[in-house]
Amino acid sequence: MSLALVMAHIRAQVGAVTPGRMGNSPFVSHSASGATMDLRTQAAASPIGLHRRYEVRLSPNGMPVDDGEASVVVRRQRATVVVVVAYETGQMADRADAEIMFGEDSEAISARMWDPNNWDESTTGLMLCTPGQPTARGPASADVAFLEIPLTILYH
């Protein structure tokens, strides 16, 4: 299986998460929206329109490497991808409300990715998905903040 297939599956899984707070604002894939810029650039250039827009990127520090023991090639790759969620925060009541929403969304995405029932190794190649420590950044401008969730993945 390919890294592209694994990332597409992760993208689909994030899109399937049902938000708790402000549930009428679903997770929408930035790449599926026809965007030509990366999420951070787009969010800084113009309003993103929805409260939650996300992308899944390969981490610069987590490029795929063989997961085998010393000098043993096992054809199993380990990599780190990052789920980045952009929020339009201008419509939120206050910063505390936004922080609760970031925490709830982080928890929901991490739980979905941690659960092996949400991915089938035989069709996705994904063997393991371990969420790391999420971070909230922003607001980068008056109206946009970002949630980043690193995922260590093992795939073949």
Side-chain angles (χ1 to χ4, degrees):
M1 303 290 168
S2 71
L3 178 60
L5 181 63
V6 170
M7 290 179 67
H9 182 71
I10 292 170
R11 195 173 298 112
Q13 290 299 312
V14 173
V17 170
T18 302
R21 189 170 297 265
M22 296 178 77
N24 60 339
S25 300
F27 290 94
V28 175
S29 172
H30 184 63
S31 60
S33 70
T36 56
M37 293 185 259
D38 72 18
L39 182 58
R40 289 181 183 282
T41 305
Q42 177 72 39
S46 63
I48 57 175
L50 297 171
H51 294 289
R52 297 169 172 94
R53 185 163 294 197
Y54 72 93
E55 68 182 0
V56 178
R57 297 189 319 231
L58 187 59
S59 170
N61 299 326
M63 293 293 172
V65 295
D66 188 83
D67 193 52
E69 301 279 330
S71 302
V72 178
V73 177
V74 294
R75 302 193 194 292
R76 183 177 66 205
Q77 299 291 311
R78 179 176 302 273
T80 302
V81 298
V82 180
V83 176
V84 179
V85 183
Y87 298 86
E88 218 174 85
T89 57
Q91 298 177 20
M92 294 180 192
D94 60 29
R95 181 69 183 166
D97 193 47
E99 289 172 355
I100 291 169
M101 185 168 66
F102 299 160
E104 289 175 349
D105 288 354
S106 170
E107 183 178 46
I109 292 169
S110 294
R112 184 161 191 98
M113 296 315 305
W114 189 267
D115 185 354
N117 294 316
N118 291 323
W119 32 267
D120 178 9
E121 182 181 340
S122 65
T123 59
T124 65
L126 187 59
M127 302 168 67
L128 180 70
C129 184
T130 307
Q133 179 65 50
T135 56
R137 305 202 188 278
S141 69
D143 295 328
V144 181
F146 297 94
L147 172 65
E148 298 179 0
I149 306 168
L151 304 171
T152 300
I153 57 172
L154 189 62
Y155 66 100
H156 58 84

